[in-house]
Amino acid sequence: TSHGYKSALFMSGQLKYAAAADLLKNRGLDTIEDSDSLKCGDDDAAAMAIYAHLGDDCTAAAVSRWIDDRGKEKFFLWVWFTNPHSPYFVRARARIGGTLGSLEQHMAAFAETDAAIGVLRNKLKSKGLLDQTVFVIVGDHGEAFGEHGQLNHGTSVFEEQVHVPLLFSGGNVVASHRKMDAIGSMVDLAPSILDVAGISAPAGWQG
């Protein structure tokens, strides 16, 4: 906020999980929305009963409306999509094989999240903002589907559970195919985002 950005967090899931809502209080976010406040449609209750969160398509629609309301303001958006998180939200369940929580459902959930990201890119493009917007796409953990006898996540430190995707794209980000030997982690994410925005990280930050 002190650098002139409006800021918001939109999450398909519930921020009360793991006390995230308490952690985010007084962190300078102008808008915070999660499945307790987002409204998607008549099947909200059914979706919450099965998945404990709403679909990423619903979240993307809410974010699009927020972008429309910003006018020419600079903004920082944290969009926390949760379709690919166990038990893997898939709105078009009839289209997929496998059972609830299966690899097939996981990949179908990713496809729907990819479409939700596309909605946001198209919204920015329609407003002439795409070329000056930096997209950062990151996962918070991997997922196991039988490798090393494990399922889901949080049960081991094997590669399939701890390796996460990270992509910076757009704005003043320069494409690079360099491979770095240094091991990065989530603690490096926030200062990296500030660096791309030309803002110095606070002295007390790690990473």
Side-chain angles (χ1 to χ4, degrees):
T1 302
S2 60
H3 292 276
Y5 287 82
K6 285 293 182 181
S7 59
L9 163 60
F10 287 82
M11 181 184 183
S12 303
Q14 298 173 296
L15 282 168
K16 62 187 177 186
Y17 177 76
D22 293 334
L23 176 67
L24 292 168
K25 285 179 181 176
N26 304 315
R27 299 288 176 172
L29 291 162
D30 299 302
T31 300
I32 298 178
E33 297 270 5
D34 70 353
S35 60
D36 286 339
S37 56
L38 293 171
K39 302 300 177 188
C40 194
D42 294 337
D43 62 348
D44 285 1
M48 290 298 294
I50 298 172
Y51 302 105
H53 62 84
L54 299 176
D56 292 339
D57 55 343
C58 175
T59 305
V63 173
S64 294
R65 292 190 293 270
W66 188 88
I67 292 173
D68 277 333
D69 292 340
R70 296 286 64 78
K72 296 185 180 297
E73 295 175 304
K74 295 190 298 182
F75 58 82
F76 170 81
L77 262 170
W78 175 5
V79 184
W80 193 340
F81 286 139
T82 50
N83 273 25
H85 193 284
S86 177
Y88 321 129
F89 185 108
V90 181
R91 190 171 298 282
R93 289 188 294 277
R95 290 193 292 103
I96 66 167
T99 58
L100 187 69
S102 67
L103 176 59
E104 292 86 353
Q105 181 151 352
H106 186 54
M107 298 310 294
F110 265 118
E112 292 193 3
T113 298
D114 182 68
I117 294 171
V119 167
L120 300 186
R121 287 183 60 85
N122 288 338
K123 170 58 67 175
L124 292 168
K125 185 175 182 179
S126 72
K127 296 180 72 67
L129 298 173
L130 185 59
D131 290 342
Q132 62 197 52
T133 300
V134 176
F135 266 77
V136 182
I137 299 175
V138 63
D140 58 343
H141 54 72
E143 197 80 344
F145 290 93
E147 303 93 338
H148 302 98
Q150 304 288 318
L151 293 173
N152 296 321
H153 56 270
T155 60
S156 77
V157 291
F158 287 116
E159 186 76 354
E160 61 271 11
Q161 292 195 43
V162 300
H163 185 81
V164 298
L166 173 62
L167 171 68
F168 279 70
S169 176
N172 60 348
V173 174
V174 178
S176 173
H177 300 286
R178 290 183 302 145
K179 182 175 181 179
M180 300 177 67
D181 293 329
I183 297 175
S185 74
M186 287 294 180
V187 77
D188 301 310
L189 187 56
S192 298
I193 292 172
L194 287 186
D195 186 54
V196 170
I199 300 172
S200 298
W205 278 17
Q206 301 179 56

